[in-house]
Amino acid sequence: MVASSSSLKLQDLIQEIREAKTQAQEREVIQKECAHIRASFRDGDPLHRHRQLAKLLYVHMLGYPAHFGQMECLKLIASPRFTDKRVGYLGAMLLLDERQDAHLLITNSIKNDLSQGIQAVQGLALCTLSATGSAEMCRDLATEVEKLLLQPSAYVRKKAVLTAVHMIRKVPELSNIFLPPCAQLLHEHHHGVLLGTITLITELCERSPAALKHFRKMVPQLVHILRTLVTTGYSTEHSISGVSDPFLQVQILRLLRILGRNHEESSETMNDLLAQVATNTDTSRNAGNAVLFETVLTIMDIRSAAGLRVLAVNILGRFLLNNDRNIRYVALTSLLRLVQSDHSAVQRHRPTVVECLREPDGSLSRRALELSLALVNSSNVRAMTQELQGFLESCPPDLQADCASGILLAAERFAPTKRWHIDTTLRVLMTAGTHVRDDAVANLTQLIGGAQELHAYSVRRLYSALAEDISQQPLVQVAAWCIGEYGDLLLEGSCEETEPLQVEEEEVLALLERVLQSHMSLPATRGYALTALMKLSTRLHGDNNRIRQVVSVYGSCLDVELQQRAVEYNTLFRKYDHMRAAILEKIPLVERGGSQADEEAKESKETAQLSEAAPVPTEPQASKLLDLLDLLDGPSGDAQHPPPLDPTPGGALIHLLNLPCAPPPPAPIPNLKVFEREGLQLNLSFVRPPGTPTLLLITVTATNTSGGDVTHFICQAAVPKSFQLQLQAPSGDTVPAQGGLPTTQLLRILNPKKAPLRLKLRLTYNHFGQSVQEIFEVNNLPVETWQ
Amino acid sequence: MIQAILVFNNHGKPRLVCFYQRFPEEIQQQIIREIFHLVLKRDDNICNFLGGGSLIGGSDYKLIYRHYATLYFVFCGDSSESELGILDLIQDLVETLDKCFENVCGLDLIFHMDKVRYILQEVVMGRMVLEINMNEIVAQTEGQNRLEKSEGGLSAAPARAVSTVKNIGLLEIPRIINTGDLNIKVPNPSQFV
């Protein structure tokens, strides 16, 4: 029964570990001690078990394995002594999670401890249950916890209430058990219990619309509690920096937000109180600010009076100017939440937001960037882009990718002129070329290709940029392509929009050769450069010996792709010189075909026609002619589909030969009906524009075949974090009855990682005099939406 | 919901580790290291909020931290937590520890990691804030310590007598020699460190 004499107390062990000078020494000490602990567990010494386990938990915190203590936790929990139970329950929380087999065995001990009378022990059991209780345990012990809600001791009640919250999270059906006691618990005076109760009610309301309706009746009571808190004098017990129980205030405000959302009556009941809190809270200390922020968020989220909303946004604006960086961070975060719903109000603070871009603080500048990008619209796009470009030049590397893609996206949406668009994209490529998205090159070439009047301008600018710096790969690729296509315009000499630039043929060729030979050029870039050189052989007037030389050299290049091109071009010089001019003609304007499809379309004039089938993404065996016919043959309701072809094989071949260079659009994605309730239907239709593989456009159409109008219709969407989502303004917020004009809304989803698409929709509307809120995830999304 | 509470020193050595979400041990240590590196990079005059590290939920979670001389207190919460509220909570926790330990310092946290854990359990339970009234928390903690002491005095006395006898001659002076008289209340030596 005597504890092994060399085993240490916890503090002594800690002391020894601290004295160890190296990692190896520490490991040695700990391993020795663990051996003792293991021996002691084996010997089964009940008196010192708690001490041994405490030591084990300490080394566990440092990162050493401690699984052999699991059974000891059970024994300690079952012991009658408080000392043992304390350590045992702590061990259970650290070592015994749901995945361990031993986990269920503590259920019985917890049950016993819950029903015996010592507060501290009940507290321990509840604590462990709320931290690691599995669904099964929660089901078993729900009634025990319910009983404890009525215990005389406030200490136990408050712990029981929070345990109930955990149980509901694990097993939502238990809401039925815990909903009835809430009314009674709201009358509590003890702040701890009240805090737990509000949390419990919030959880219940978030999970079930029925509970939400039930608790709306308690809004007056909640208002009363909050009012008492706010107007009560300084109470030392629960105040932090002079604000009475800010945690409780914040929690009540959150609950009011949920209850008042989309509900006129409740919102009205809260209006006065919110105004009072907003104006009277002391903002000189952090606690007051915490309460004020929650108030602002609540005001913006419920159906509050217009004056109140203005007040709220102004409060946020004031906070943006605060010296305290924490306040500014939270202000930016709040504004970001509001930018979708109250866009014009947030716009007023745009200058301040842009100021925050210059913060040295990484967290703040990131928030400011997100908010700035959300605030760009057609009237401020020039100024904003200027600011964002400035930011891009000096921002830390982890923000560059987001900033660059943000600018490009904004430019795409709001570009006032094509020339401005080209300039902006160029500047982004020059500043942050390595961080842009993959489709930036394709987009820019297509943009330039489409702006005929700007060909000369573009090629000059790109030439100058390339001459200065050949390291930014996307820029080099676009420049090479441009020089290849419009080399003749480059040499012509005059262009009003840029300074006169005298360029010699030899200089151009030398530049492209430099790109080819540079070790910084990617294989794709080299491909672009080689093809550009080839095209120049028809555009330039000098003799082609230099070009022929380069092309023949690359005929033995190690890179297979480059070698193949060089060999083909060589053959073009030698055997098919008469066809060279025709093949290397300028590309005709295509609708978002992308440059690669064009290259293939050109070369396919002399190779097999079936290579044109390659761009069709959803049909891997498109080399089979008949499959290709099926694809082109099957129209569905999508309006962008080309007219169907003649189905007979022979006729099809002729039709195929007559196809324009543009590749056929991919198979349309079927529409999806996602929601139906009392005559209101929601349909989604999908479009994947062929030029941008990461973009998905969804049109949400709401139709109403019932007898009553649907009003205040709002549809919101959420996607996983790796996606970017833009909701455009809906066509209206009323869906008239009896099959009237449907409302549509466009969603743009960018999926750069090609991750599986998940979409959650939230609808709120009024129908037949009731307000409805529906949240659901869209299932059965066709694979073509994200692949 | 609060997902994790970490306390570590300026070199990243953990003083208190409390995860409310289950991770395997190696991942836990990795998370601690990652958060330590994220927090170390921050100057003293920039804001106390960060996006979560990649191992613990990425940008869905946020880190709220406070730096007190040699210790970092880091709370990891999800989007439903109020950042400013958690800042106050950290301050509240530290003040409570101060009351319980009487002028708490880093060493107290090191040598009484289990007691710190028990105090924390009175403040945050099951991922949510339980109680912020310092007096109540202190009263509870003292009550529990008394309970423990009253148990320890009675049944552990013989063992303590044996170990005390064996330790005569060592330099641990503060320990009071007990000759086994059960009527003498033996104070818990560990409080005299």
Side-chain angles (χ1 to χ4, degrees), chain A residues 241-272:
Chain A
S241 324
V243 179
S244 333
D245 208 338
F247 288 95
L248 184 56
Q249 288 195 38
V250 162
Q251 206 63 11
I252 296 179
L253 284 164
R254 274 217 192 110
L255 179 56
L256 288 176
R257 189 183 317 159
I258 297 176
L259 294 175
R261 202 176 276 155
N262 290 322
H263 196 247
E264 290 286 349
E265 204 190 308
S266 308
S267 304
E268 212 158 330
T269 325
M270 301 174 207
N271 254 323
D272 289 338

Side-chain angles (χ1 to χ4, degrees), chain A residues 113-187:
Chain A
D113 284 335
L114 284 179
S115 46
Q116 53 78 64
I118 304 181
Q119 275 190 70
V121 175
Q122 288 171 315
L124 284 178
L126 286 168
C127 187
T128 308
L129 184 53
S130 70
T132 60
S134 64
E136 234 182 280
M137 277 171 68
C138 291
R139 268 192 216 104
D140 285 340
L141 298 169
T143 39
E144 296 294 330
V145 173
E146 191 201 347
K147 270 190 262 175
L148 291 175
L149 288 176
L150 306 166
Q151 270 260 331
S153 152
Y155 175 74
V156 175
R157 280 205 306 275
K158 80 180 177 197
K159 289 205 169 183
V161 174
L162 276 191
T163 311
V165 179
H166 172 82
M167 287 183 155
I168 291 176
R169 286 198 186 122
K170 279 285 184 185
V171 186
E173 299 87 58
L174 292 174
S175 311
N176 302 331
I177 302 187
F178 291 116
L179 198 144
C182 288
Q184 170 80 10
L185 286 167
L186 261 188
H187 293 288

Side-chain angles (χ1 to χ4, degrees), chain A residues 481-731:
Chain A
W481 179 86
C482 224
I483 294 175
E485 275 294 303
Y486 310 119
D488 46 339
L489 295 174
L490 181 61
L491 295 169
E492 248 160 43
S494 67
C495 165
E496 334 78 61
E497 280 160 336
T498 61
E499 286 132 39
L501 185 64
Q502 268 310 99
V503 183
E504 299 297 322
E505 283 185 18
E506 295 299 314
E507 289 175 6
V508 178
L509 296 178
L511 186 56
L512 285 175
E513 280 171 34
R514 247 179 71 206
V515 171
L516 264 178
Q517 288 155 8
S518 163
H519 61 277
M520 291 185 282
S521 299
L522 295 173
T525 316
R526 290 214 175 92
Y528 272 97
L530 194 59
T531 309
L533 269 177
M534 198 56 200
K535 289 187 209 171
L536 283 178
S537 71
T538 48
R539 314 266 197 268
L540 302 181
H541 304 301
D543 68 25
N544 292 327
N545 283 330
R546 190 164 174 181
I547 298 179
R548 290 183 74 145
Q549 239 181 330
V550 174
V551 165
S552 63
V553 162
Y554 276 86
S556 46
C557 171
L558 282 176
D559 182 304
V560 176
E561 159 86 26
L562 223 48
Q563 192 189 98
Q564 180 180 354
R565 282 184 197 233
V567 166
E568 285 175 3
Y569 294 152
N570 242 337
T571 321
L572 210 52
F573 269 126
R574 278 190 284 116
K575 283 204 249 170
Y576 298 97
D577 209 39
H578 53 282
M579 286 176 69
R580 192 161 43 91
I583 291 178
L584 298 173
E585 249 181 32
K586 286 213 179 131
I587 301 175
L589 183 58
V590 280
E591 34 170 297
R592 289 201 89 98
S595 57
Q596 258 188 316
D598 300 323
E599 300 269 344
E600 283 177 4
K602 273 203 318 252
E603 283 165 25
S604 68
K605 278 191 181 163
E606 45 173 276
T607 53
Q609 300 297 338
L610 294 172
S611 65
E612 273 192 87
V616 178
T618 50
E619 198 67 16
Q621 319 98 297
S623 53
K624 297 223 173 17
L625 195 57
L626 287 172
D627 288 343
L628 187 58
L629 290 178
D630 285 343
L631 208 60
L632 294 173
D633 217 4
S636 75
D638 199 313
Q640 290 205 4
H641 194 72
L645 294 182
D646 183 333
T648 64
L653 197 52
I654 298 172
H655 279 283
L656 210 47
L657 288 172
N658 285 340
L659 273 178
C661 293
I669 308 171
N671 287 358
L672 194 63
K673 178 165 127 175
V674 297
F675 176 75
E676 154 112 60
R677 183 179 158 159
E678 296 171 316
L680 175 68
Q681 258 190 34
L682 215 66
N683 273 319
L684 300 183
S685 60
F686 305 93
V687 174
R688 293 281 298 272
T692 45
T694 54
L695 180 64
L696 170 68
L697 301 172
I698 303 184
T699 309
V700 180
T701 312
T703 47
N704 182 1
T705 53
S706 73
D709 287 347
V710 166
T711 55
H712 296 103
F713 180 79
I714 297 178
C715 171
Q716 290 164 318
V719 288
K721 277 287 169 177
S722 63
F723 292 74
Q724 289 173 35
L725 170 69
Q726 276 175 3
L727 282 126
Q728 298 194 349
S731 63

Side-chain angles (χ1 to χ4, degrees), chain A residues 325-326 329-330 333 361-364 366-367 398, chain B residues 8 34-43 46-54 56-66 72-79 83 87:
Chain A
R325 289 204 159 83
N326 289 335
Y329 179 90
V330 184
T333 314
D361 178 350
S363 301
L364 271 179
R366 177 181 284 276
R367 279 278 179 265
D398 48 337
Chain B
F8 42 76
E34 187 189 19
I35 294 184
F36 169 62
H37 283 299
L38 281 174
V39 155
L40 194 64
K41 277 191 272 186
R42 314 274 295 169
D43 281 334
I46 57 182
C47 74
N48 298 83
F49 311 124
L50 276 179
S54 57
I56 189 167
S59 48
D60 281 336
Y61 291 174
K62 45 200 177 191
L63 296 174
I64 300 124
Y65 70 95
R66 275 194 112 128
Y72 283 98
F73 280 72
V74 183
F75 275 53
C76 176
D78 68 5
S79 49
E83 288 98 335
L87 268 187

Side-chain angles (χ1 to χ4, degrees), chain A residues 66-83:
Chain A
H67 48 274
F68 52 90
Q70 285 171 8
M71 293 311 285
E72 307 307 311
C73 298
L74 294 174
K75 292 184 199 158
L76 282 169
I77 293 174
S79 148
R81 295 185 346 138
F82 178 71
T83 318

Side-chain angles (χ1 to χ4, degrees), chain A residues 16-320:
Chain A
E16 258 197 46
I17 294 176
R18 279 168 67 76
E19 281 163 6
K21 302 235 183 356
T22 64
Q23 185 78 350
Q25 236 180 331
E26 177 184 297
R27 230 175 307 152
E28 211 183 290
V29 168
I30 289 180
Q31 269 172 1
K32 205 172 76 170
E33 189 56 35
C34 282
H36 283 302
I37 296 176
R38 244 188 285 236
S40 159
F41 286 161
R42 255 197 327 263
D43 294 337
D45 168 19
L47 272 183
H48 294 97
R49 199 178 277 143
H50 72 274
R51 189 182 295 168
Q52 308 290 35
L53 189 64
K55 284 187 283 186
L56 190 59
L57 293 178
Y58 182 78
V59 305
H60 171 79
M61 177 180 80
L62 293 181
Y64 294 88
H67 48 274
F68 52 90
Q70 285 171 8
M71 293 311 285
E72 307 307 311
C73 298
L74 294 174
K75 292 184 199 158
L76 282 169
I77 293 174
S79 148
R81 295 185 346 138
F82 178 71
T83 318
D84 288 344
K85 282 188 194 287
R86 218 183 194 189
V87 185
Y89 273 119
L90 182 60
M93 280 194 278
L94 291 175
L95 302 177
L96 280 178
D97 64 72
E98 281 177 36
R99 279 172 273 184
Q100 311 297 341
D101 299 325
H103 181 70
L104 265 182
L105 297 174
I106 61 177
T107 314
N108 224 17
S109 300
I110 293 186
K111 194 172 190 157
N112 293 337
D113 284 335
L114 284 179
S115 46
Q116 53 78 64
I118 304 181
Q119 275 190 70
V121 175
Q122 288 171 315
L124 284 178
L126 286 168
C127 187
T128 308
L129 184 53
S130 70
T132 60
S134 64
E136 234 182 280
M137 277 171 68
C138 291
R139 268 192 216 104
D140 285 340
L141 298 169
T143 39
E144 296 294 330
V145 173
E146 191 201 347
K147 270 190 262 175
L148 291 175
L149 288 176
L150 306 166
Q151 270 260 331
S153 152
Y155 175 74
V156 175
R157 280 205 306 275
K158 80 180 177 197
K159 289 205 169 183
V161 174
L162 276 191
T163 311
V165 179
H166 172 82
M167 287 183 155
I168 291 176
R169 286 198 186 122
K170 279 285 184 185
V171 186
E173 299 87 58
L174 292 174
S175 311
N176 302 331
I177 302 187
F178 291 116
L179 198 144
C182 288
Q184 170 80 10
L185 286 167
L186 261 188
H187 293 288
E188 285 279 345
H189 288 296
H190 188 275
H191 281 226
V193 184
L194 207 46
L195 184 60
T197 309
I198 305 283
T199 314
L200 178 60
I201 297 178
T202 311
E203 191 69 32
L204 286 168
C205 290
E206 276 174 348
R207 279 173 190 276
S208 126
L212 187 62
K213 218 184 284 193
H214 171 85
F215 285 112
R216 281 218 179 97
K217 291 182 250 156
M218 302 195 186
V219 168
Q221 199 177 353
L222 291 166
V223 168
H224 173 74
I225 298 175
L226 186 53
R227 186 169 280 135
T228 321
L229 268 179
V230 170
T231 52
T232 292
Y234 184 62
S235 135
T236 43
E237 287 256 308
H238 290 102
S239 77
I240 294 186
S241 324
V243 179
S244 333
D245 208 338
F247 288 95
L248 184 56
Q249 288 195 38
V250 162
Q251 206 63 11
I252 296 179
L253 284 164
R254 274 217 192 110
L255 179 56
L256 288 176
R257 189 183 317 159
I258 297 176
L259 294 175
R261 202 176 276 155
N262 290 322
H263 196 247
E264 290 286 349
E265 204 190 308
S266 308
S267 304
E268 212 158 330
T269 325
M270 301 174 207
N271 254 323
D272 289 338
L273 173 66
L274 291 172
Q276 191 181 0
V277 177
T279 41
N280 287 347
T281 309
D282 171 21
T283 56
S284 58
R285 303 297 296 274
N286 192 49
N289 289 324
V291 173
L292 200 50
F293 269 114
E294 287 302 319
T295 315
V296 165
L297 288 175
T298 302
I299 292 175
M300 299 310 287
D301 222 7
I302 64 173
R303 297 276 174 83
S304 48
L308 202 51
R309 293 180 92 88
V310 169
L311 173 65
V313 180
N314 286 345
I315 293 177
L316 283 182
R318 229 175 43 225
F319 278 135
L320 268 184

